[in-house]
Amino acid sequence: MFRGTTALTPIQLTTAIVRHPLVVSPDTTVMDAIAQMSGVRSLCNTARTADGQLDDLDKEARSSCVFVVENEQLVGVLTERDVVRLSAQQRSLENLALRSVMAHPAVTLRESAFTDLFFAINLLDHHQIRHLPIVDEHDRLQGLVTHESLRQTSRPLDLLRLRRVAEVMTREVICAAPDSSMLALAQLMAEHRVSSVMIVHPGTISTEPLQIPVGIVTERDIVQFQALGLKLETCLAQAVMSTPIFKVKPEESLWTLQQIVNQRSSRRLAVTGELGELLGIVTQTSLLQALNLLELYKLAQKLKEKVVRLEAQKVQQQENLIEQQVETRTAALNTKVQREKLVADLATKIRSSLSLQTILDTTVQQVRQVLGCDRVNIWRFEADREIIVVAESTDSSLSLLG
């Protein structure tokens, strides 16, 4: 038995509990259990109103497992994954009692201890289960929580907008061809412990080998086949796969992903690239991974590092601006100093010499040095409008003097 340690919002968390789960005895056969699961599934509403959608979510959770109870005590659980495993083993389910195949003992959580959303999420992840029974103080079954019911309860809009599909998608997707048998798909699910198999066609639009998703087969499809008494080995995937499959791009936000999941009532979406090729898969579990405490810590660290980088860039920009301002002011001061020095030097030359030509020659030399130009001339305008160059400073061999 496990207990939470951090109280959050227990009143809101109770909405994540799916009440009235399917309950059977240990002597119930697997086929009878499948029939009950299939019966609940057939009652799901087709209308997608808000209330109808929540009601369907409850029914889907209830139809995905049965709890085995004896003397008012929970003794085990049978899930869709167990049905797939038994189907892959080609065992006869007609007379197979649940007590011999159920998962036992079941991991449970007391309702009074269900005060922390993250604790429930981590409990599911730690034990790699998808159904968490909720019991009272006397260990009597009260309901269950699933990834989907927890996802509906948690609405971390800001966090989902910050994260991208590529961060949480599963890149190693179990795939099969459309002509694969349902038995082969069940065996793939059991071997790799996955809830679905992606049906793909080989891509022909590139020289690289591509897998183009065309449909999907899930554990629920296997359960439905068993309920109908159909032969898995003779039925092909292309005849029963769910198609078209809903797709999402890796750069989309998890908020967009959640919107698609809610609108399409789809628990699995294919992640595809620019050519329509399969890159990965995202599920309702992927959305909950965004709420995992470790993932939250990693995201906080990334955001902190981003803030530090932005602050460093801002400081660097301010330092660069100050340096530019200092350089501009220094250049202006140097120019002013040079001009003042030129005036002082010219004044000194004038006072030390009574020769006008010497003064003019010194002036053009000093001015050209300050301006850094090729030539400086002093012109004298005669009364008859004639112009005569009387002083010149230049490095050119061509002189205008005289």
Side-chain angles (χ1 to χ4, degrees):
M1 180 65 62
F2 298 86
R3 293 181 178 273
T5 57
T6 305
L8 293 177
T9 53
I11 295 179
Q12 294 180 351
L13 286 176
T14 56
T15 61
I17 301 177
V18 178
R19 304 292 179 177
H20 311 298
L22 292 178
V23 175
V24 295
S25 69
D27 295 323
T28 303
T29 65
V30 174
M31 279 304 300
D32 288 340
I34 290 175
Q36 292 192 40
M37 294 163 65
S38 180
V40 173
R41 175 64 180 167
S42 65
L43 296 176
C44 286
N45 298 328
T46 56
R48 304 316 301 172
T49 62
D51 292 340
Q53 185 177 5
L54 291 175
D55 187 46
D56 282 358
L57 291 175
D58 280 356
K59 289 177 180 176
E60 286 186 3
R62 293 173 55 216
S63 68
S64 63
C65 66
V66 292
F67 292 108
V68 184
V69 174
E70 188 173 32
N71 297 327
E72 297 188 345
Q73 299 295 299
L74 179 65
V75 295
V77 61
L78 181 82
T79 68
E80 291 175 324
R81 180 157 295 179
D82 296 319
V83 175
V84 171
R85 173 174 53 82
L86 295 172
S87 301
Q89 296 172 355
Q90 295 183 280
R91 298 183 63 175
S92 175
L93 309 182
E94 293 290 342
N95 301 312
L96 187 61
L98 290 181
R99 68 169 68 250
S100 62
V101 295
M102 66 183 181
H104 174 80
V107 179
T108 62
L109 176 65
R110 284 187 176 172
E111 186 169 358
S112 60
F114 184 32
T115 57
D116 190 333
L117 175 68
F118 297 123
F119 179 76
I121 294 173
N122 290 334
L123 197 59
L124 289 168
D125 290 342
H126 176 72
H127 293 279
Q128 297 184 342
I129 57 177
R130 294 178 296 169
H131 307 82
L132 180 60
I134 305 299
V135 298
D136 62 13
E137 296 300 325
H138 301 287
D139 294 333
R140 291 176 299 197
L141 184 66
Q142 300 298 307
L144 79 150
V145 294
T146 65
H147 289 97
E148 180 66 11
S149 67
L150 291 174
R151 184 183 68 81
Q152 288 295 322
T153 302
S154 61
R155 299 284 185 177
L157 305 185
D158 294 335
L159 180 60
L160 293 181
R161 286 191 176 100
L162 287 173
R163 307 207 65 185
R164 296 289 174 260
V165 169
E167 298 179 49
V168 299
M169 71 180 186
T170 300
R171 300 179 184 275
E172 296 181 1
V173 186
I174 305 304
C175 302
D179 57 355
S180 301
S181 69
M182 292 293 285
L183 176 59
L185 299 186
Q187 291 171 341
L188 281 174
M189 292 182 199
E191 177 184 355
H192 297 280
R193 294 184 59 81
V194 294
S195 61
S196 62
V197 173
M198 194 73 68
I199 308 302
V200 297
H201 274 309
T204 57
I205 55 179
S206 173
T207 56
E208 298 294 329
L210 301 178
Q211 292 180 319
I212 309 300
V214 295
I216 191 169
V217 175
T218 68
E219 291 174 332
R220 185 151 294 170
D221 297 323
I222 303 296
V223 174
Q224 292 295 314
F225 258 67
Q226 290 288 13
L228 296 173
L230 301 177
K231 293 184 178 180
L232 298 180
E233 58 270 23
T234 59
C235 187
L236 302 183
Q238 59 191 3
V240 297
M241 65 183 182
S242 299
T243 186
I245 187 169
F246 299 112
K247 304 173 183 178
V248 67
K249 297 296 182 182
E251 63 272 12
E252 297 284 358
S253 69
L254 294 187
W255 164 247
T256 302
L257 172 63
Q258 176 161 275
Q259 293 294 97
I260 297 176
V261 169
N262 289 340
Q263 293 171 2
R264 304 292 188 179
S265 297
S266 176
R267 301 167 64 187
R268 303 166 184 85
L269 283 80
V271 184
T272 56
E274 295 298 327
L275 301 178
E277 74 278 16
L278 182 65
L279 300 178
I281 187 173
V282 287
T283 66
Q284 56 191 9
T285 307
S286 304
L287 288 171
L288 279 182
Q289 286 178 353
L291 292 177
N292 183 279
L293 288 177
L294 180 58
E295 294 297 320
L296 285 174
Y297 174 77
K298 291 180 180 178
L299 178 62
Q301 288 297 105
K302 290 182 180 179
L303 293 177
K304 182 179 179 180
E305 292 172 359
K306 185 176 182 180
V307 170
V308 171
R309 286 197 305 270
L310 291 175
E311 290 179 346
Q313 291 175 0
K314 184 177 180 181
V315 171
Q316 186 62 45
Q317 290 174 354
Q318 291 176 342
E319 291 178 350
N320 292 340
L321 179 60
I322 293 174
E323 289 179 0
Q324 291 176 359
Q325 292 174 346
V326 170
E327 290 176 356
T328 301
R329 292 177 182 178
T330 301
L333 289 174
N334 288 336
T335 302
K336 183 179 180 181
V337 169
Q338 289 177 349
R339 289 175 180 173
E340 292 177 351
K341 185 176 182 296
L342 174 61
V343 173
D345 289 345
L346 290 175
T348 301
K349 296 285 186 181
I350 292 173
R351 285 196 299 269
S352 64
S353 176
L354 297 178
S355 171
L356 177 60
Q357 189 61 46
T358 300
I359 294 173
L360 295 180
D361 290 339
T362 301
T363 299
V364 292
Q365 290 175 3
Q366 295 290 338
V367 170
R368 190 167 77 90
Q369 181 180 352
V370 171
L371 298 181
C373 56
D374 295 331
R375 186 189 303 268
V376 174
N377 295 331
I378 294 179
W379 296 355
R380 184 177 68 202
F381 294 86
E382 302 290 347
D384 58 357
R385 297 184 180 181
E386 183 181 6
I387 301 173
I388 300 176
V389 178
V390 297
E392 180 181 52
S393 174
T394 181
D395 291 331
S396 175
S397 60
L398 177 63
S399 174
L400 302 179
L401 190 63

